[in-house]
Amino acid sequence: MELLNIKNLDLAGKKVFIRCDFNVPMDEFGNISDDRRIRSALATINYCIDQDCAVILASHSGRPDGKVIEKYSLAPVAKRLQQLLKRDVILAKDVVGEDAISKAKALKETEILLLENLRYEPGETENELELSEKLASMAEFYVNDAFGVSHRAHSSVEGITHLFDEEHKAAGFLLQKEIQFFGKLIQQPVRPFAAIVGGSKVSGKLEALVNLLPKVDKVLIGGGMAFTFLKQMGYNIGASLVEDDLLQDAQHIMDEARRLGVKFYLPVDVVAAERFAEDSVSKLVSAQEIPDNWMGLDIGPATVRLYREVLNDVQTVLWNGPMGVYEMEKFARGSNKIAHFVADSYATTVVGGGDTADLVQRIGLDEEMTFISTGGGASLELLEGKILPGVLPLIKKEEA
Ligand code: AMP
């Protein structure tokens, strides 16, 4: 699969609209805690600046649900971009309002304009044509470099691509790199291939789990999602996170794993706490002995040992989702220990998803992994063999 290449665009001196993914984690004071996604976009932005383009950048951040909510403003992103690019970045007051449109119109060669949070516009997530048209009207070229959101058919990701012909749209360097990497990974993963899947809920990764099963040899479950499986197995999970409406789906996944001969592992012990808080009383219990009203917030040491054993002979590891509430130090040990083990292995190690990338970076292991993807959901969908809606219109015509 060959994507339309940014290097084939006749960009010199023109206006280019770059859809980026600047949806970065921030702390309660609005400080960016991991700017990987911003740094990953620099190659494409710098390339366009080198071509003397006027650059219009657009991204979403969080889920303001179509409303203008101050805390989701891209102002901190504009500031960080400015530092990284060592150039002025003009922040528009809106997305396609008077301010953005007039600033885009007045933008000169090598100047950079960042639009406000795309999701301030209700039409963005609905793939509304009118919004796509307004965004497209700002520039002569469209470049998608937002891998993390390319699995969403949104106005600035999918709808807008239909308003540019093949000579006027392309994939940016980051998008190219991610698609190439996962293309190779899916075609011929070196086996055994293990997927470590964690995070809060089964619901977000249900389809991915089902579709991953035929591709992998082993699945290791952690995080909050483990408890829906454990409950379905008849264990008392106390007050742990659970999705009661997905118990049957959990059973289906376990049945499918058995049918396909995929080894499916669940935690055998957990760190249980009385409350969802750093200062809560906590204790180690077996997965079968979680006390009533206590909640499992991390995998325990026996699970860490088991998972290490299971990962010992693995040649490819895909990790998506933390093993526990890694944001609280007390419940970060399971994730940290797995991160160290994965980082030390000689396998091809692929980390996907904002949270998992964040946790790996917090403990300084990001350089040790083979590949850290900027997209969690997007990378899972790629591994399922799907062509992402934001990527499809950027495949070279004769191949699409
Ligand atoms: P996700 O966005 O689904 O990948 O989930 C990531 C979030 O899952 C992180 O913020 C973790 O704090 C949270 N998480 C992980 N393990 C647990 C758990 N046992 N209970 C509650 N939340 C969890």
Side-chain angles (χ1 to χ4, degrees):
M1 178 170 92
E2 202 181 329
L3 298 182
L4 295 169
N5 194 325
I6 185 172
K7 288 195 171 162
N8 295 335
L9 300 180
D10 192 9
L11 291 173
K14 303 277 174 35
K15 271 189 189 141
V16 56
F17 180 102
I18 312 176
R19 174 49 157 114
C20 298
D21 179 5
F22 294 146
N23 185 27
V24 288
M26 291 191 207
D27 66 16
E28 66 266 41
F29 307 108
N31 299 310
I32 297 170
S33 54
D34 178 13
D35 65 2
R36 170 176 305 275
R37 284 181 166 165
I38 303 179
R39 285 185 282 114
S40 304
L42 296 181
T44 299
I45 300 171
N46 280 326
Y47 175 80
C48 292
I49 296 289
D50 288 346
Q51 303 287 311
D52 291 325
C53 292
V55 175
I56 297 159
L57 304 173
S59 173
H60 71 287
S61 178
R63 295 176 190 268
D65 293 334
K67 291 180 218 79
V68 177
I69 301 172
E70 181 75 24
K71 78 166 181 172
Y72 293 113
S73 166
L74 288 181
V77 171
K79 209 163 141 194
R80 182 63 58 94
L81 255 178
Q82 199 153 294
Q83 290 161 356
L84 292 169
L85 287 166
K86 300 188 181 68
R87 285 177 171 276
D88 283 343
V89 173
I90 307 162
L91 178 65
K93 291 197 182 80
D94 45 33
V95 184
V96 285
E98 235 170 74
D99 190 64
I101 298 281
S102 66
K103 284 191 167 126
K105 211 175 258 175
L107 204 67
K108 296 197 193 70
E109 289 182 8
T110 72
E111 286 184 343
I112 303 168
L113 171 68
L114 173 64
L115 306 183
E116 250 306 355
N117 189 342
L118 285 161
R119 292 195 189 159
Y120 279 178
E121 287 291 328
E124 166 64 359
T125 53
E126 276 147 37
N127 206 7
E128 189 192 86
L129 177 64
E130 200 184 323
L131 178 60
S132 299
E133 283 172 346
K134 284 184 188 160
L135 294 170
S137 73
M138 294 183 190
E140 289 131 305
F141 289 89
Y142 171 79
V143 172
N144 181 355
D145 215 18
F147 174 69
V149 79
S150 288
H151 59 312
R152 307 268 184 231
H154 291 172
S155 271
S156 64
V157 178
E158 202 275 338
I160 193 168
T161 58
H162 303 294
L163 304 171
F164 294 86
D165 63 25
E166 281 209 8
E167 275 74 51
H168 293 86
K169 63 183 172 189
F173 296 118
L174 173 64
L175 186 63
Q176 291 266 11
K177 188 168 111 184
E178 298 259 14
I179 297 288
Q180 257 169 23
F181 183 85
F182 284 104
K184 265 195 234 143
L185 187 72
I186 197 176
Q187 265 168 21
Q188 34 188 219
V190 186
R191 294 185 181 279
F193 181 4
I196 308 173
V197 187
S200 56
K201 291 181 180 167
V202 181
S203 49
K205 289 168 190 156
L206 185 66
E207 211 184 328
L209 269 173
V210 175
N211 291 322
L212 268 179
L213 286 177
K215 310 233 155 55
V216 299
D217 303 296
K218 312 180 185 201
V219 176
L220 293 74
I221 300 285
M225 70 156 64
F227 298 99
T228 301
F229 290 97
L230 291 171
K231 180 165 183 181
Q232 177 59 18
M233 288 178 70
Y235 297 168
N236 178 19
I237 54 155
S240 305
L241 201 67
V242 68
E243 290 167 287
D244 282 315
D245 52 332
L246 293 181
L247 291 171
Q248 283 316 311
D249 295 273
Q251 186 61 50
H252 171 67
I253 290 170
M254 292 189 281
D255 291 343
E256 272 299 287
R258 200 167 306 131
R259 191 179 69 77
L260 294 163
V262 173
K263 308 290 177 284
F264 192 85
Y265 294 93
L266 288 168
V268 291
D269 65 341
V270 301
V271 181
E274 262 188 327
R275 291 176 297 114
F276 188 87
E278 180 95 70
D279 61 355
S280 164
V281 181
S282 68
K283 60 180 173 184
L284 290 174
V285 292
S286 105
Q288 302 189 37
E289 296 183 25
I290 302 172
D292 288 343
N293 302 319
W294 285 56
M295 53 186 86
L297 295 182
D298 194 11
I299 56 172
T303 308
V304 170
R305 239 172 284 139
L306 170 71
Y307 284 10
R308 278 186 187 151
E309 185 70 32
V310 168
L311 290 170
N312 239 335
D313 67 338
V314 158
Q315 296 294 319
T316 308
V317 182
L318 170 79
W319 183 8
N320 187 305
M323 297 289 98
V325 184
Y326 75 98
E327 298 92 334
M328 299 182 199
E329 214 181 315
K330 200 169 189 172
F331 310 112
R333 274 184 95 164
S335 298
N336 291 354
K337 293 211 174 249
I338 296 294
H340 278 283
F341 189 78
V342 170
D344 282 345
S345 87
Y346 278 67
T348 300
T349 51
V350 186
V351 172
D355 284 319
T356 325
D358 185 30
L359 91 83
V360 164
Q361 190 237 243
R362 279 182 194 215
I363 46 176
L365 291 176
D366 42 344
E367 296 299 324
E368 307 298 319
M369 303 293 177
T370 310
F371 191 78
I372 296 192
S373 172
T374 53
S379 59
L380 282 180
E381 290 201 13
L382 273 186
L383 285 166
E384 289 165 29
K386 289 187 184 160
I387 297 187
L388 312 182
V391 173
L392 182 65
L394 302 178
I395 299 174
K396 263 195 172 174
K397 255 279 167 36
E398 58 273 20
E399 293 192 40

